[in-house]
């Protein structure tokens, strides 16, 4: 991330669920006194740095990591090397899903009858930096809206603001994020092999 034209540069790294990312800082020419800095952020970690960066190791603790660099002087920056490995601690449910790319399909998770039932199943969506996410629901049927229960709703979270919206019943919706990451939590009975939620997402390019 050296010699970039923009003062703010962002790199997103994504791996399959069950893996975690380790970053090594090989070189750094950041001017700390001028306010230059690099930020590492993930679902379970947040770290900024400038001084004593070379040879330091950063662990994401999950399968995604965003690196943001802010430089003020031309040519400054960092050189990083990343690797992935099997996560040392399980941070996901077996029914969780990870979606990458500019567009895709979202469906409710279905758990087999012989599996341990998990109260919440999540779908994580990550698109390119500076892009936003648009979700359009094509079909939703979470039961009778007048008989809402604790286990019968979907929660959509905007990761950049941590704001959430809750949807019940047969309430179709169109939703947009403010950043490049979103999470959907399925608080519902997903034992049966049936479609109760079907949606499409696509990335909105920056203006």
């Amino acid at each position: 991330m050296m010699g970039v034209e923009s003062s703010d540069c962002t790199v997103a790294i994504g791996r399959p669920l069950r893996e975690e990312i380790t970053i090594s800082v090989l070189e750094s020419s950041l001017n700390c006194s001028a306010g230059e800095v690099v930020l590492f952020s993930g679902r379970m970690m947040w770290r900024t740095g400038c001084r004593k960066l070379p040879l330091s190791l950063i662990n994401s603790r999950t399968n995604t990591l965003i690196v943001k660099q802010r430089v003020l002087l031309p040519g400054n920056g960092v050189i990083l090397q990343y690797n992935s490995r099997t996560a040392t601690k399980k941070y996901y449910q077996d029914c969780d899903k990870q979606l990458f790319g500019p567009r895709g399909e979202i469906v409710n998770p279905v758990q087999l009858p012989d599996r341990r039932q998990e109260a919440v199943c999540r779908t994580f969506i990550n698109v390119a930096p500076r892009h936003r996410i648009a979700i359009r629901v094509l079909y939703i049927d979470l039961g009778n809206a007048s008989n809402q229960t604790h286990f019968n709703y979907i929660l959509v979270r905007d990761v950049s603001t941590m704001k959430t919206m809750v949807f019940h019943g047969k309430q179709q919706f169109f939703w947009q994020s403010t950043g490049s990451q979103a999470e959907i939590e399925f608080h519902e009975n997903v034992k049966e092999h049936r479609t109760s939620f079907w949606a499409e997402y696509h990335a909105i390019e920056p203006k």
Side-chain angles (χ1 to χ4, degrees), residues 8-9 28 51 68 120 124 127 184 200:
D8 294 308
C9 181
S28 173
R51 292 180 173 84
K68 294 183 178 181
V120 179
F124 306 105
V127 297
I184 302 175
E200 293 178 343

Side-chain angles (χ1 to χ4, degrees), residues 10-17 21 41-44 62-67 91 97-104 106 122-135 157 159-160 175 177 179-184 201-204:
T10 304
V11 173
I13 305 169
R15 296 293 298 154
L17 285 172
I21 300 163
S41 63
R43 290 202 301 274
M44 298 173 61
T62 66
N63 66 311
T64 58
L65 185 68
I66 292 180
V67 183
Y91 57 85
K97 290 185 178 180
Q98 173 72 62
L99 301 177
F100 293 115
R103 60 182 64 250
I106 309 162
R122 298 167 297 177
T123 295
F124 306 105
I125 304 173
N126 292 67
V127 297
R130 296 175 53 237
H131 289 60
R132 296 183 295 119
I133 300 168
I135 297 175
R157 176 178 296 112
V159 174
S160 63
W175 179 91
S177 68
S180 62
Q181 302 174 83
E183 298 177 8
I184 302 175
Y201 83 87
H202 68 270
I204 304 173

Side-chain angles (χ1 to χ4, degrees), residues 9 35 49 51 54 56 60 70 78 83 88 91 119 132-133 165 177 181-182 197 206-207:
C9 181
R51 292 180 173 84
S56 61
S60 66
R70 179 166 182 79
V78 295
N83 296 283
T88 54
Y91 57 85
R132 296 183 295 119
I133 300 168
M165 294 189 67
S177 68
Q181 302 174 83
F197 182 83
K207 296 179 180 180

Side-chain angles (χ1 to χ4, degrees), residues 53-106:
L53 274 179
L55 304 181
S56 61
L57 295 175
I58 294 91
N59 188 288
S60 66
R61 299 170 63 188
T62 66
N63 66 311
T64 58
L65 185 68
I66 292 180
V67 183
K68 294 183 178 181
Q69 174 183 272
R70 179 166 182 79
V71 296
L72 301 174
L73 303 175
N76 286 0
V78 295
I79 297 179
L80 310 172
Q81 182 181 59
Y82 77 89
N83 296 283
S84 64
R85 64 186 182 188
T86 301
T88 54
K89 293 184 179 180
K90 187 176 179 181
Y91 57 85
Y92 59 91
Q93 304 279 13
D94 290 332
C95 58
D96 289 349
K97 290 185 178 180
Q98 173 72 62
L99 301 177
F100 293 115
R103 60 182 64 250
E105 185 179 72
I106 309 162

Side-chain angles (χ1 to χ4, degrees), residues 27 69 107 142 146 190 195 201:
E27 294 182 33
Q69 174 183 272
V107 296
L142 304 179
S146 63
V190 292
T195 299
Y201 83 87

Side-chain angles (χ1 to χ4, degrees), residues 41-53:
S41 63
R43 290 202 301 274
M44 298 173 61
M45 63 89 67
W46 178 279
R47 178 176 171 180
T48 61
C50 182
R51 292 180 173 84
K52 300 181 179 180
L53 274 179

Side-chain angles (χ1 to χ4, degrees), residues 89-200:
K89 293 184 179 180
K90 187 176 179 181
Y91 57 85
Y92 59 91
Q93 304 279 13
D94 290 332
C95 58
D96 289 349
K97 290 185 178 180
Q98 173 72 62
L99 301 177
F100 293 115
R103 60 182 64 250
E105 185 179 72
I106 309 162
V107 296
N108 61 292
V110 175
Q111 294 179 270
L112 300 177
D114 59 343
R115 294 286 184 90
R116 177 177 61 87
Q117 299 302 312
E118 292 157 330
V120 179
C121 296
R122 298 167 297 177
T123 295
F124 306 105
I125 304 173
N126 292 67
V127 297
R130 296 175 53 237
H131 289 60
R132 296 183 295 119
I133 300 168
I135 297 175
R136 184 181 301 278
V137 177
L138 305 175
Y139 178 81
I140 180 170
D141 186 356
L142 304 179
N144 191 343
S146 63
N147 187 27
Q148 296 171 3
T149 68
H150 179 70
F151 301 103
N152 199 35
Y153 64 91
I154 288 176
L155 185 150
V156 182
R157 176 178 296 112
D158 188 339
V159 174
S160 63
T161 62
M162 295 308 292
K163 291 184 178 180
T164 59
M165 294 189 67
V166 179
F167 300 94
H168 295 272
K170 300 180 180 181
Q171 176 188 358
Q172 291 190 5
F173 60 88
F174 179 77
W175 179 91
Q176 293 187 25
S177 68
T178 59
S180 62
Q181 302 174 83
E183 298 177 8
I184 302 175
E185 291 185 0
F186 294 87
H187 294 251
E188 59 168 323
N189 186 342
V190 292
K191 293 181 182 178
E192 301 177 7
H193 289 268
R194 61 185 177 86
T195 299
S196 58
F197 182 83
W198 178 34
E200 293 178 343

